[in-house]
Amino acid sequence: MTERVRVTETLDIDLDAGRWTCNRCGHDVGDAEQSYKEGLLVAERDPEEVHPRRAPEDSAYSFAPDPEWCRVLEFYCPGCAVLVEVEYLPPGHPITRDLVFDLTSLRAAAAR
């Protein structure tokens, strides 16, 4: 039987194969030694679309991040299109690697 560990609401690590998997559809997202985001679909969204205007049209403020200073990246499973992650980053900033695991230790803990 495949040993899987739940990591996030939508991602598991298959400890036997050392792979990220979507826990909704089972899609193989990529090598668990790398960032799971490398195996996901990425959509860049306009911050003003994500955060609709909440102020009058004549106001200088919209309550949305300035698109010249912020980009919104959404990461989706290629198998079932579930939203896995959202990042707010300055333009030009690399995608962050937010999860790093010692797979050897995870395997040892799962074996106990």
Side-chain angles (χ1 to χ4, degrees):
M1 180 174 189
T2 300
E3 182 71 38
R4 290 192 178 179
V5 174
R6 175 74 43 100
V7 178
T8 71
E9 181 180 348
T10 54
L11 289 175
D12 292 345
I13 293 180
D14 178 333
L15 294 177
D16 297 333
R19 308 289 291 177
W20 291 106
T21 58
C22 173
N23 61 37
R24 305 296 170 88
C25 70
H27 185 84
D28 182 322
V29 177
D31 184 352
E33 296 285 352
Q34 304 299 318
S35 173
Y36 62 91
K37 294 174 187 172
E38 293 177 13
L40 299 175
L41 300 175
V42 183
E44 185 167 354
R45 302 271 309 274
D46 181 343
E48 293 174 339
E49 176 187 320
V50 175
H51 300 279
R53 179 172 280 282
R54 300 283 187 226
E57 287 298 322
D58 61 346
S59 173
Y61 303 102
S62 71
F63 297 98
D66 184 334
E68 291 187 28
W69 290 90
C70 179
R71 64 186 181 145
V72 179
L73 300 177
E74 296 175 339
F75 297 87
Y76 295 92
C77 171
C80 65
V82 67
L83 180 64
V84 176
E85 180 67 61
V86 178
E87 283 194 349
Y88 285 67
L89 296 171
H93 191 284
I95 293 171
T96 60
R97 183 166 181 198
D98 54 348
L99 299 174
V100 179
F101 292 97
D102 178 351
L103 294 181
T104 304
S105 295
L106 279 177
R107 289 180 181 117
R112 286 188 240 152

